[in-house]
Amino acid sequence: MKNLDTRRTIRKYSEQPVSEALLNRLMTEAARTQTMGNLQLYSVVVTRSGAMKQRLAPAHFNQPMVTEAPVVLTICADFHRTTRWCEERQANPGYDNFLSFQNAAIDALLYTQTLCNLMDEEGLGYCYLGTTVYQPMQIIDVLQLPKLVMPVATLTVGWPAEQPPLSDRLPLESFVHSETYHKPTAADIDAYYGYKEQLPENQHFVEINHKQTLAQIFTDIRYTKADNEAMSEGLKEALKAQGFF
């Protein structure tokens, strides 16, 4: 069993296949995770076909692991199935709203994390793709997701073919608050982010991008205001198209 202290994101995979039996067992076990009202408001689309991976890749900015991984899992917030159950059982569903999306998204992400933990235990490698919510309509179209189904997470999965270094993490005191929220002071920020900022790879990243601070890498290059606003509009439109607004 792997220790969470040594968890790594894996982007390169061996040619060894991930068996359907193993994956089905892990997905079944993951279904024991917490869920609102015991409704399991999620679905997982399993992609193994090379052609389908090629179609999904543009939605994830053509990151190589999307087409190179043996398996791609798209985890969706799903109120479609529950709504159909209600309709077939003389019940009047009212889940075409943002609160229902939020509840289903939480269910889906809890399931995703549990599945990740189980894959760690088996020695499988995976990469969590934050790009899932950047261009969701592309994913919706490729996977033919019906109303009240929204992609919220994607995992590329396979047996590791690399051993990348561990990512840095902020210290406990930066994110744990006693009784009430503690607004960080300038001194707190120095203490929380100093280690990250002094890492040679991060200092090199700042240098080659001609920036003054690591924070500017995030605000000016990786997650810009303009990109965030544009993709927010796309996300809103996708939620409308899927019936959650």
Side-chain angles (χ1 to χ4, degrees):
M1 181 185 297
K2 287 187 177 180
N3 188 309
L4 289 180
D5 287 339
T6 62
R7 169 176 280 167
R8 291 170 167 83
T9 294
I10 301 299
R11 296 178 173 86
K12 296 181 180 178
Y13 307 97
S14 75
E15 295 182 0
Q16 179 182 352
V18 177
S19 75
E20 184 175 2
L22 172 60
L23 187 59
N24 284 347
R25 175 171 66 79
L26 296 180
M27 291 193 295
T28 300
E29 291 174 3
R32 299 305 306 171
T33 199
Q34 303 94 323
T35 173
M36 193 198 82
N38 198 30
L39 288 172
Q40 295 179 250
L41 303 171
Y42 50 80
S43 283
V44 184
V45 180
V46 181
T47 302
R48 293 180 179 273
S49 158
M52 287 295 288
K53 291 176 201 170
Q54 289 287 350
R55 292 183 63 195
L56 281 173
H60 298 289
F61 300 98
N62 291 306
Q63 296 177 85
M65 57 273 195
V66 176
T67 53
E68 294 173 1
V71 181
V72 176
L73 304 178
T74 305
I75 300 94
C76 303
D78 183 356
F79 246 118
H80 179 82
R81 182 185 65 247
T82 302
T83 294
R84 288 290 300 122
W85 173 56
C86 293
E87 291 170 343
E88 292 294 327
R89 296 295 183 270
Q90 297 76 53
N92 185 25
Y95 307 124
D96 53 347
N97 47 68
F98 185 70
L99 178 63
S100 296
F101 166 70
Q102 183 79 352
N103 286 329
I106 291 170
D107 262 23
L109 292 174
L110 285 169
Y111 178 87
T112 301
Q113 187 57 67
T114 301
L115 182 59
C116 287
N117 293 342
L118 293 170
M119 291 194 297
D120 274 322
E121 293 181 359
E122 291 291 334
L124 281 167
Y126 57 87
C127 180
Y128 178 95
L129 303 184
T131 47
T132 306
V133 295
Y134 289 178
Q135 301 179 92
M137 282 309 305
Q138 293 187 37
I139 299 173
I140 290 166
D141 291 342
V142 170
L143 300 182
Q144 300 179 27
L145 303 182
K147 294 277 189 178
L148 301 184
V149 180
M150 184 76 181
V152 295
T154 300
L155 300 172
T156 58
V157 182
W159 299 102
E162 64 172 344
Q163 185 80 347
L166 292 175
S167 301
D168 62 276
R169 289 292 185 265
L170 294 174
L172 183 73
E173 57 269 23
S174 70
F175 57 85
V176 174
H177 305 261
S178 178
E179 306 299 344
T180 60
Y181 192 96
H182 168 75
K183 293 181 181 179
T185 64
D188 290 332
I189 294 298
D190 289 343
Y192 299 161
Y193 289 89
Y195 174 77
K196 180 189 290 284
E197 291 171 333
Q198 294 304 313
L199 289 171
E201 58 268 33
N202 285 338
Q203 290 187 336
H204 178 65
F205 202 28
V206 171
E207 180 182 358
I208 63 175
N209 284 284
H210 308 292
K211 296 297 177 181
Q212 294 175 306
T213 69
L214 182 63
Q216 290 174 349
I217 296 295
F218 289 86
T219 60
D220 300 355
I221 299 175
R222 295 192 65 183
Y223 308 111
T224 69
K225 179 179 175 63
D227 286 346
N228 288 338
E229 290 177 345
M231 289 186 287
S232 291
E233 289 304 312
L235 182 57
K236 289 178 187 177
E237 290 304 313
L239 287 169
K240 289 179 182 177
Q242 294 308 99
F244 284 113
F245 268 117

